[in-house]
């Protein structure tokens, strides 16, 4: 789950597909000082995904 703070509302839930507008929201927020504590890479320069067969 990716929960940016502020506002503290989840932007991506487990199992949800991450699309370009969501990544732009998160990355622009991080650039403005928002924190995404749940991300494996808090800078959001890279995204770790799980692919299930």
């Amino acid at each position: 789950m990716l929960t940016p703070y502020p506002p503290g509302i989840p932007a991506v839930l487990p199992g949800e597909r991450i699309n370009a507008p969501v990544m732009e929201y998160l990355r622009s927020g991080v650039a403005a000082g928002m924190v995404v504590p749940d991300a494996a890479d808090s800078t959001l320069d890279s995204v770790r995904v799980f692919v299930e067969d």
Side-chain angles (χ1 to χ4, degrees):
M1 184 164 40
L2 297 176
T3 308
Y5 183 81
I9 300 169
V12 181
L13 299 173
E16 188 175 1
R17 290 181 184 214
I18 302 172
N19 57 32
V22 170
M23 285 306 300
E24 177 59 30
Y25 164 72
L26 292 171
R27 286 182 173 152
S28 66
V30 167
M34 189 168 68
V35 178
V36 185
D38 307 325
D41 176 8
S42 61
T43 65
L44 297 180
D45 287 335
S46 62
V47 178
R48 185 184 312 172
V49 296
F50 177 77
V51 178
E52 185 175 53
D53 287 333

